[in-house]
Amino acid sequence: MKRTALVVFVCALAVTGCFRGEHRDARDRYNEGVASLSSGDLDGAIASLLKACSEAGVDPELRHRAAYNLGVAYAAQAEKLRKGKEPDLAKARGAAQDSVSWFLDARQHDKGDPDTLANLAVARARLQQITDELRRAEGKLEARLDALIDAQRGVLDAARSAWIAIKATTGADPLAQQSALATLADKERGVVADAGVIADLAGDEIDAIGKKEEDKRTDEEKVRVVQLKNVDLYVMDARARIAEARRKLQDLAAEDGVAKAEAALIALKRAREQLLDPITVLQGLAREEVELVRDTTLAGADSPSLAAKPGESAKLPAWLEPAVIAERQHGVRDRLEEVRKRLEAATQAPPPAAGGDKPDPQAAQRAKVMARVKLALPKVGDASREMDRARQLLADRKAKAALEAEHLALAAIAEAIEQFSDLRQTIDLAHGEQQQILALLGPEAAKSMSPADRAKETRDALARNLARMARLKELIADEIDQLAEQQKKLEAQAPPPGAGPGAGSGAGSAADPAQQVEAQKQALSAERDRLATAEGLRVAAQLALEDTAQILAGDRKDEKKADPAETDPVVPAKLAETKIDEMRKLFFNLIEHLQQLIRDQGETRDQTSAASGEDDLLRAPKLPGLVAREEQHAQMAKAITEALAAQADAAAKSPPQPGAPDGKTLSAAADEMRQAQSAIDDARGALVKVQNAKTSSESLAPATKAQATTIEHLANALKLLQPPKQKDQNDEDQQQQQQQQQQQQQQQQKQQQNARDKDAERQRKRQQEQKGDSTSDPVEKDW
């Protein structure tokens, strides 16, 4: 096969030559592609070569050459994206993946071609290199921030323990904790240095994106700049607070040191929050707004827990003073504004240029996401305005009026979250709402709520879940459409009918492209089955919700049923909850839920630690909320444990998917989760013991210790599910690739040596023939 001498990049990927002789339209397209590739027109080359592939029919040589040169073109495109004036590693990785795919396709058509084998190894090595670069760029800030938060949390806990110890002696010996406080001051020096490194990383990334022209930045980059600027602001604030904490600790001012260290931790957590997705941030803000509603209710009502003794005037704890709640509301509102700015940055990005007449599924999906963002933005704005109104009312000590504004803010946040939610998140929302509906229909709600309020809240919740059923239908249909697009791509990459493995090929090897395509088709088929099951459950849940609504509306009051349960709204409501729960299990994401649980448990631990430094009167109203949080953590931990156990059982019966943890690993993770559940129970028990103590003051130290143990086991489970072996694995992959390249080079050298030996043998034969012919009459030969 004739090759030209074009070098695309360092590893010298050669381009197959043009066809001569027989004329075919597909070969003309191929020749146009080769000409474009030789001139450096990569987009034109790819377009012509793809057309040649689609029109090749049963021309195996054309399919091989076109696939080979597509591998070359995509490899060149990947290098251009990686090393160009405005590098884009994400797009470079996509092009490199396409390059590997097309070289695999070329190998399928000619398994013995040495150029294809050599260049396939080169393309794989380049793909790994780009992936490593991208992985180093991603997650660097996140991982460092997580480690920094853990370090600062440790300093704060130790400082608070020292302060409590000093308080226990009523300050009689302030030098008793001198050594401990000095050690903590030294630790803060290291923490502030690490914070400086994080600020530098954020600044470097901002500068890298800033070098691009505004109209050439991607949507993700525009949002990322907003995130990084906020990260930089919070980290700088944290550095200042840490430096202040260090000075206070050196001066043995333990109480002030604790206050500064706690402020630093809050700033670091806010910095980490900037790198979370908007829906996660909004959900966290909604939880904090619920706590504000609770405290505002206490501040504006005659709560028995706050009643004064006979003959004494009632006095609110300092943290329930409206002015203090107003400051907290101000902080929540500021963080909501940060989310709003991120969303605005995404919506202001111009739409990508159209890619011809052919529809672009990714562009269509992006348009849907942007449409949801635009619908959510006004709701975020409404929530921000209501929070600001609540803050002003609280500052004026109008707690009851502020409570109404806080409720409106919560409702607006909930509507915004609804717009952002994907399929799994919408199912989670429906599940939580259905549990609330069952609680409203239960006897406890009947005792604590008026019939009118109870009926209204139940009807509103039912209406929200019925609306979610309609949205779930659309989301499931979108997922099915995406699967159809993936199926089309697989069909385009599949070998032609009748094309079997070449002679001498490892037909049963794992690297066989035909087997890879078949495995991907099976995965798509399994996903379609899962979505079909989800749609069936959705329909059943919707029917049950409609039955519940009809019963509550009294539409069945005249029906004479043999079974009175058929007129009880609890029966269809429980059925709906069961069906939604089965849907939830279908899409339960272990990693995401586990990561969220670690964050939530860390926040609960921080709140418990803060309460441990307060006296009994101040911390008493906080304890029910802490107990409730631990109960929520226990429910989530149980769900994760059950899912892990089920996956471990399934893995024991059949081999796991490539890259997925095996049965032994899943079982170990489930064991860690069981230990985490036990620690959560211990933490809850310790909190309840403090809450129920009437005649003595109990310490919260056992609770914070159990919470720390919980986080440790949760982190161990996450490590098992996401083993930090990427570096070692990369080294192994590189070694294997180097060995493959060496083997291929040896194979090429052997083939070249064989060719030279054959050529020498032909020369010797020709010389012998010429010698033999010299004794006879000359004969003209037509070679």
Side-chain angles (χ1 to χ4, degrees):
M1 183 175 292
K2 188 176 180 180
R3 311 266 171 175
T4 66
L6 176 66
V7 176
V8 176
F9 61 107
V10 178
C11 293
L13 294 182
V15 181
T16 60
C18 295
F19 279 104
R20 308 294 182 194
E22 182 182 359
H23 174 270
R24 292 181 186 168
D25 289 341
R27 292 192 173 197
D28 288 344
R29 301 291 83 73
Y30 168 82
N31 290 340
E32 292 170 3
V34 171
S36 297
L37 188 55
S38 299
S39 66
D41 180 10
L42 298 179
D43 292 336
I46 289 171
S48 297
L49 291 170
L50 285 172
K51 195 168 184 180
C53 263
S54 65
E55 297 175 358
V58 291
D59 189 339
E61 185 178 6
L62 173 57
R63 289 183 68 89
H64 168 71
R65 291 195 189 192
Y68 178 95
N69 283 328
L70 277 167
V72 172
Y74 277 114
Q77 192 177 66
E79 283 299 293
K80 185 178 179 181
L81 290 166
R82 175 172 169 254
K83 294 184 176 180
K85 186 182 295 184
E86 297 177 355
D88 191 329
L89 289 177
K91 290 183 179 179
R93 180 172 61 178
Q97 288 170 336
D98 289 336
S99 175
V100 170
S101 297
W102 282 111
F103 277 126
L104 286 169
D105 191 64
R107 188 186 68 175
Q108 180 68 19
H109 297 294
D110 188 351
K111 295 185 180 292
D113 180 42
D115 288 332
T116 301
L117 296 175
N119 289 329
L120 174 59
V122 170
R124 280 174 165 165
R126 286 305 172 93
L127 172 59
Q128 186 64 55
Q129 184 179 2
I130 293 171
T131 301
D132 289 345
E133 290 179 14
L134 190 61
R135 186 180 294 112
R136 285 193 296 270
E138 296 173 346
K140 186 182 292 186
L141 272 177
E142 288 83 344
R144 283 181 175 270
L145 267 173
D146 287 338
L148 191 62
I149 288 170
D150 287 341
Q152 183 62 22
R153 184 175 279 147
V155 171
L156 176 59
D157 286 348
R160 187 171 277 125
S161 296
W163 174 43
I164 292 173
I166 292 172
K167 283 176 62 179
T169 62
T170 63
D173 187 7
L175 298 181
Q177 298 296 321
Q178 181 178 9
S179 176
L181 294 175
T183 300
L184 292 174
D186 290 339
K187 287 184 178 180
E188 286 288 58
R189 182 188 292 114
V191 174
V192 78
D194 289 341
V197 173
I198 291 174
D200 291 341
L201 288 172
D204 291 344
E205 194 171 346
I206 292 171
D207 292 341
I209 298 174
K211 291 177 182 177
K212 294 186 178 182
E213 296 180 12
E214 183 70 25
D215 59 346
K216 292 185 178 180
R217 297 179 192 176
T218 64
D219 299 346
E220 292 78 9
E221 287 172 336
K222 291 183 178 182
V223 174
R224 183 73 172 174
V225 166
V226 176
Q227 291 176 289
L228 291 171
K229 287 181 177 179
N230 288 334
V231 167
D232 190 48
L233 288 173
Y234 279 116
V235 170
M236 294 303 291
D237 181 44
R239 290 182 70 187
R241 305 284 186 178
I242 294 168
E244 292 172 358
R246 178 170 169 266
R247 286 193 293 270
K248 294 296 182 182
L249 293 171
Q250 285 176 328
D251 295 340
L252 306 185
E255 183 174 3
D256 291 341
V258 167
K260 299 299 183 182
E262 186 171 20
L265 178 61
I266 291 171
L268 290 175
K269 289 194 290 187
R270 296 295 80 82
R272 181 64 179 90
E273 185 179 76
Q274 305 307 308
L275 302 177
L276 298 174
D277 63 277
I279 190 170
T280 301
V281 179
L282 287 175
Q283 288 172 337
L285 292 175
R287 285 192 291 269
E288 293 191 35
E289 192 67 20
V290 168
E291 294 174 0
L292 283 170
V293 168
R294 179 198 65 200
D295 294 345
T296 304
T297 302
L298 290 172
D302 296 327
S303 173
S305 63
L306 301 175
K309 294 180 180 180
E312 295 181 2
S313 59
K315 184 179 179 180
L316 287 172
W319 57 273
L320 280 181
E321 285 292 335
V324 175
I325 301 176
E327 283 301 310
R328 289 166 58 196
Q329 182 67 85
H330 181 63
V332 172
R333 193 243 179 181
D334 283 349
R335 289 156 59 197
L336 184 66
E337 278 295 295
E338 291 167 359
V339 175
R340 187 181 63 79
K341 290 176 182 178
R342 285 165 58 183
L343 298 177
E344 281 185 344
T347 58
Q348 291 170 0
D357 297 333
K358 187 176 180 181
D360 184 355
Q362 292 183 350
Q365 184 64 23
R366 178 190 177 280
K368 289 181 180 179
V369 172
M370 285 298 103
R372 293 207 298 269
V373 171
K374 289 176 180 177
L375 287 173
L377 257 177
K379 299 301 179 183
V380 175
D382 291 345
S384 179
R385 283 189 293 274
E386 292 299 334
M387 286 180 181
D388 191 47
R389 187 164 72 92
R391 179 193 63 79
Q392 293 173 1
L393 290 168
L394 285 164
D396 294 338
R397 302 189 68 83
K398 298 178 181 179
K400 291 184 179 180
L403 191 61
E404 179 186 358
E406 289 172 347
H407 277 296
L408 290 173
L410 260 179
I413 292 177
E415 291 185 50
I417 291 173
E418 198 82 35
Q419 293 298 331
F420 283 117
S421 300
D422 58 16
L423 177 59
R424 180 184 61 78
Q425 291 163 339
T426 304
I427 293 171
D428 285 343
L429 289 171
H431 183 262
E433 190 86 70
Q434 194 61 27
Q435 289 183 322
Q436 181 63 25
I437 289 170
L438 286 171
L440 288 168
L441 294 173
E444 292 300 321
K447 296 176 183 177
S448 60
M449 299 177 67
S450 68
D453 289 344
R454 183 181 174 218
K456 182 181 182 303
E457 288 197 25
T458 305
R459 285 195 301 269
D460 291 346
L462 268 173
R464 288 192 293 268
N465 254 5
L466 280 168
R468 289 189 183 105
M469 293 303 109
R471 174 149 172 71
L472 283 172
K473 183 178 181 179
E474 295 177 2
L475 292 171
I476 291 172
D478 287 345
E479 294 284 338
I480 292 173
D481 290 343
Q482 291 180 36
L483 291 180
E485 290 296 332
Q486 294 177 35
Q487 184 73 29
K488 288 179 182 178
K489 290 182 180 179
L490 279 180
E491 295 294 344
Q493 295 176 9
S505 67
S509 68
D512 188 344
Q515 288 188 357
Q516 291 179 349
V517 170
E518 184 59 32
Q520 292 175 15
K521 286 182 178 179
Q522 291 177 2
L524 289 178
S525 177
E527 184 63 18
R528 277 194 298 270
D529 292 342
R530 182 169 74 150
L531 289 170
T533 302
E535 175 60 15
L537 292 169
R538 185 201 67 81
V539 170
Q542 180 172 336
L543 291 174
L545 288 171
E546 290 171 351
D547 287 346
T548 307
Q550 288 178 8
I551 293 173
L552 290 175
D555 293 348
R556 299 185 180 182
K557 61 184 179 180
D558 295 330
E559 296 181 17
K560 295 180 179 180
K561 300 288 184 180
D563 185 358
E566 294 190 17
T567 57
D568 181 1
V570 174
V571 175
K574 283 185 176 179
L575 176 60
E577 195 271 340
T578 300
K579 297 301 179 184
I580 295 172
D581 188 52
E582 289 179 23
M583 264 198 294
R584 183 168 173 258
K585 290 177 180 177
L586 276 177
F587 297 96
F588 193 85
N589 189 306
L590 285 172
I591 300 297
E592 290 182 13
H593 281 96
L594 185 50
Q595 290 171 334
Q596 184 62 50
L597 180 56
I598 291 173
R599 286 194 292 267
D600 291 343
Q601 181 64 78
E603 185 64 31
T604 304
R605 179 192 174 194
D606 291 341
Q607 292 182 18
T608 307
S609 179
S612 68
E614 298 172 342
D615 58 36
D616 294 348
L617 179 63
L618 286 177
R619 73 184 183 188
K622 299 180 181 180
L623 294 173
L626 293 173
V627 172
R629 287 180 67 92
E630 288 294 354
E631 289 172 348
Q632 293 172 1
H633 302 337
Q635 291 176 3
M636 180 54 68
K638 181 181 178 183
I640 295 173
T641 305
E642 291 174 351
L644 279 171
Q647 289 188 13
D649 292 341
K653 298 175 183 176
S654 60
Q657 294 291 329
D662 56 21
K664 184 177 179 180
T665 302
L666 290 167
S667 295
D671 287 340
E672 290 289 346
M673 287 303 306
R674 292 187 186 96
Q675 293 181 67
Q677 279 185 269
S678 177
I680 290 173
D681 290 341
D682 291 343
R684 181 188 175 279
L687 288 168
V688 170
K689 182 179 179 181
V690 175
Q691 184 181 13
N692 294 336
K694 303 299 181 184
T695 58
S696 62
S697 178
E698 297 289 339
S699 172
L700 284 173
T704 55
K705 182 178 179 181
Q707 289 164 345
T709 303
T710 300
I711 295 173
E712 180 181 351
H713 287 300
L714 294 175
N716 290 341
L718 185 61
K719 288 177 183 178
L720 286 167
L721 298 173
Q722 290 183 324
K725 298 179 180 179
Q726 190 61 49
K727 183 176 179 181
D728 296 337
Q729 185 63 43
N730 289 341
D731 292 341
E732 288 182 11
D733 291 343
Q734 291 174 3
Q735 290 175 3
Q736 291 176 0
Q737 289 165 0
Q738 290 172 359
Q739 291 174 359
Q740 291 174 357
Q741 291 180 31
Q742 291 174 357
Q743 292 173 359
Q744 289 161 1
Q745 289 173 358
Q746 291 172 359
Q747 182 181 3
Q748 291 180 45
Q749 292 171 358
K750 184 177 180 180
Q751 290 173 344
Q752 291 170 357
Q753 183 62 45
N754 291 338
R756 287 194 291 268
D757 292 343
K758 290 180 180 178
D759 186 59
E761 182 64 26
R762 285 196 298 271
Q763 292 291 342
R764 284 195 295 271
K765 288 183 178 180
R766 183 172 295 178
Q767 290 173 2
Q768 290 174 359
E769 289 174 356
Q770 289 174 352
K771 288 180 181 179
D773 291 342
S774 63
T775 59
S776 59
D777 296 333
V779 178
E780 184 177 356
K781 294 183 179 180
D782 184 8
W783 296 101

